[in-house]
Amino acid sequence: MAKIAVLGAGYVGLTTAACLASMGHDVVCGDSNKEKIAQLSRCSVSIFEDGLQELVSSGFRNKNLAFVGSVVDAVRSSEFIFLCLPTPESSDGSADTSIIESVAKEISPYLSPRSVIVNKSTLPVGSVGIVQDCIQRRDVHVVSNPEFLREGSAINDFLHPDRIVIGSDNTYAAQRVAQIYAPLGVKILITDATSAETIKYAANAFLAARLSFVNALASVCEAVGAKLSDVMEGVSSDSRIGTHFMQPGPGWGGSCFPKDTKALLKIAQDSGYDFELLAGVISSNERQFDHIAGRIIAEAKSVSDRPTVAIWGLTFKAGTDDLRESPSLKIISRLTKSGLSIQTYDPTQVDVKSRNQQTTNFETALAACKDAHLLAVLTEWSEFSEIDPNLVAAQMRSLFVFDGRNVLNKQLWNNAGFTYKGIGER
Ligand code: UDX
């Protein structure tokens, strides 16, 4: 097994460190955030990710997972150094690689000869070369090994991936990294660095395009009077299209799709290609926020001049406590601008008060519905589809429900007296 350093103990870094340790590798995870490292050194995981605490605990028990407060200490005597560091979005839409560059320069003198740096964070095309220039070491190679982790299923995605992608202009370095993943027994694609870096952006952009198309098709169905659920059953029965990743929603969000689609658009533009199709994917998603908010406002104002709307679901999707680029927050902002009073509930108990003073947060789904004119469901937690609509009806001033994820049982809610509206139907 390999001696591996993972730099960055955030969502990707901690998942990567814990999973590599669970595969039997000897892992040390370094982060400059002393408080985060102190908490992890007490075997306490604050990241909301199913199964991560258990995996970190087993790494501690097996003594092959440790945490240190310095990236330099982490890299000493390591054969592989995984960079899992933040690459925030710059104002022009490009990925900011300044943290990666400064860490690469910092660790360079401490890297063992013939060690390999592994770019795990989502980095712009050409980043392998950038990191190689930063370390100024001819005896250390850099490879791209993009992550394809979804929040809420990151451990499963790491240990049961569809594929491993490794990009390097040095075949030996690529094959050494491939050996790390051999125990997983999955397809390993070894290509050049540029292609590997492009795969990550292309995969996310393709998935985002799929969702933008489905959500736009939902609006077409609403306009022509078709039923999206039936249309999608007919369309996705084509084996070339399939049923995965085709659920309509309030739009896509999160810490990756918005950032990565804009970054790819910028990368293409900077390379001389106007990726207008991708620009349409991004703008269509923005229009989805307007469209969903518009339907909620129209419905709510049909029953009251000063309606109160209950919102179930604040995070960007179910299974996470992550509010970054959450469609729910973008829609809530549009609702409050239209004068609606907003009562919110989220199963993770995240609160958005600090982001929007015109909302009131509640600890239970039923409490959030008290005296509301309309209920809007904006994330797909199973808790929402399991609630008895009769209990909800007893709380509300008027019985309107907008199902922004098409996850409720329409017949049950109609039987409880609700006027049910979903996505993709009038
Ligand atoms: C995504 C990619 O899936 C993952 O491979 C990559 O490594 C990181 O970015 P993540 O951002 O965690 O993962 O979320 P994902 O599950 O892909 O959902 C992204 C957005 O699409 C969310 O807002 C989600 O609600 C929405 N979505 C997803 C839909 O609206 N419908 C779907 O069918 C699936």
Side-chain angles (χ1 to χ4, degrees):
M1 287 303 174
K3 286 181 69 60
I4 299 174
V6 174
L7 305 189
Y11 165 73
V12 172
L14 187 55
T15 302
T16 298
C19 288
L20 288 172
S22 76
M23 292 163 61
H25 298 297
D26 188 5
V27 180
V28 56
C29 182
D31 195 297
S32 56
N33 182 319
K34 300 282 190 275
E35 188 183 317
K36 187 185 288 188
I37 290 297
Q39 187 182 24
L40 288 167
S41 299
R42 295 192 302 272
C43 195
S44 167
V45 173
S46 60
I47 290 176
F48 186 100
E49 186 60 48
D50 194 24
L52 189 54
Q53 175 65 65
E54 292 76 7
L55 220 48
V56 169
S57 301
S58 68
F60 266 72
R61 277 195 308 275
N62 299 333
K63 300 190 183 343
N64 68 329
L65 176 61
F67 296 94
V68 293
S70 130
V71 291
V72 169
D73 292 345
V75 305
R76 289 183 203 283
S77 76
S78 291
E79 300 167 78
F80 300 93
I81 298 89
F82 280 66
L83 301 184
C84 302
L85 298 162
T87 54
E89 182 184 328
S90 298
S91 55
D92 66 359
S94 63
D96 176 356
T97 58
S98 56
I99 295 171
I100 293 262
E101 292 174 52
S102 63
V103 169
K105 289 169 185 165
E106 181 185 1
I107 63 175
S108 177
Y110 308 95
L111 295 168
S112 304
R114 292 181 304 287
S115 59
V116 178
I117 289 184
V118 181
N119 283 355
K120 177 59 84 175
S121 305
T122 303
L123 286 169
V125 175
S127 293
V128 162
I130 291 172
V131 173
Q132 195 75 57
D133 291 346
C134 287
I135 62 173
Q136 290 292 307
R137 291 277 298 264
R138 297 177 61 80
D139 62 338
V140 175
H141 291 290
V142 182
V143 308
S144 168
N145 172 221
E147 52 88 7
F148 299 98
L149 308 179
R150 289 167 296 171
E151 293 194 30
S153 57
I155 290 169
N156 177 69
D157 291 347
F158 191 103
L159 297 176
H160 307 286
D162 292 330
R163 77 307 201 183
I164 299 288
V165 171
I166 299 169
S168 175
D169 304 323
N170 179 289
T171 308
Y172 178 58
Q175 285 165 348
R176 286 180 60 201
V177 174
Q179 277 308 306
I180 293 173
Y181 294 102
L184 298 181
V186 297
K187 173 182 177 177
I188 297 183
L189 169 62
I190 294 181
T191 181
D192 61 273
T194 303
S195 300
E197 291 162 339
T198 304
I199 286 169
K200 169 68 185 184
Y201 284 108
N204 272 3
F206 202 100
L207 290 166
R210 191 174 172 98
L211 294 177
S212 283
F213 189 87
V214 170
N215 289 332
L217 191 62
S219 296
V220 172
C221 290
E222 291 161 15
V224 301
K227 283 176 63 181
L228 178 73
S229 50
D230 289 354
V231 169
M232 288 311 295
E233 184 169 349
V235 166
S236 55
S237 300
D238 183 321
S239 58
R240 295 168 301 174
I241 297 172
T243 58
H244 294 301
F245 221 79
M246 294 277 268
Q247 288 302 312
W252 40 264
S255 64
C256 295
F257 278 11
K259 176 168 69 75
D260 293 352
T261 48
K262 284 182 202 154
L264 180 58
L265 190 62
K266 186 74 170 56
I267 289 166
Q269 280 167 349
D270 290 351
S271 306
Y273 178 70
D274 180 7
F275 202 159
E276 56 184 358
L277 183 60
L278 181 56
V281 168
I282 295 167
S283 58
S284 177
N285 194 50
E286 285 297 317
R287 277 201 303 277
Q288 182 69 356
F289 304 144
D290 297 330
H291 176 69
I292 297 295
R295 288 194 61 190
I296 292 171
I297 292 163
E299 201 76 46
K301 289 200 169 177
S302 72
V303 287
S304 165
D305 292 338
R306 292 200 49 78
T308 296
V309 170
I311 300 282
W312 285 356
L314 299 174
T315 55
F316 81 95
K317 65 172 183 174
T320 178
D321 64 350
D322 197 342
L323 292 168
R324 286 176 290 182
E325 297 293 323
S326 169
S328 296
L329 302 190
K330 297 180 184 292
I331 288 163
I332 285 172
S333 169
R334 287 160 170 83
L335 300 184
T336 53
K337 285 192 180 99
S338 286
L340 275 60
S341 298
I342 305 298
Q343 300 179 171
T344 61
Y345 165 73
D346 190 279
T348 64
Q349 297 301 325
V350 288
D351 188 356
V352 291
K353 191 76 185 168
S354 56
R355 295 167 182 250
N356 191 318
Q357 298 309 314
Q358 294 163 279
T359 64
T360 308
N361 202 54
F362 292 81
E363 290 186 358
T364 69
L366 287 179
C369 293
K370 182 76 177 144
D371 297 332
H373 295 90
L374 179 144
L375 164 64
V377 178
L378 296 182
T379 51
E380 68 284 16
W381 290 98
S382 55
E383 172 184 336
F384 300 154
S385 49
E386 292 158 3
I387 284 181
D388 177 352
N390 294 291
L391 296 178
V392 180
Q395 298 292 325
M396 292 182 66
R397 202 177 300 183
S398 55
L399 304 187
F400 286 84
V401 59
F402 179 82
D403 187 358
R405 294 281 182 161
N406 287 359
V407 290
L408 302 181
N409 179 311
K410 178 177 181 178
Q411 194 54 57
L412 273 182
W413 285 76
N414 283 337
N415 292 347
F418 280 90
T419 299
Y420 172 98
K421 297 286 185 188
I423 289 191
E425 58 182 44
R426 278 183 182 161

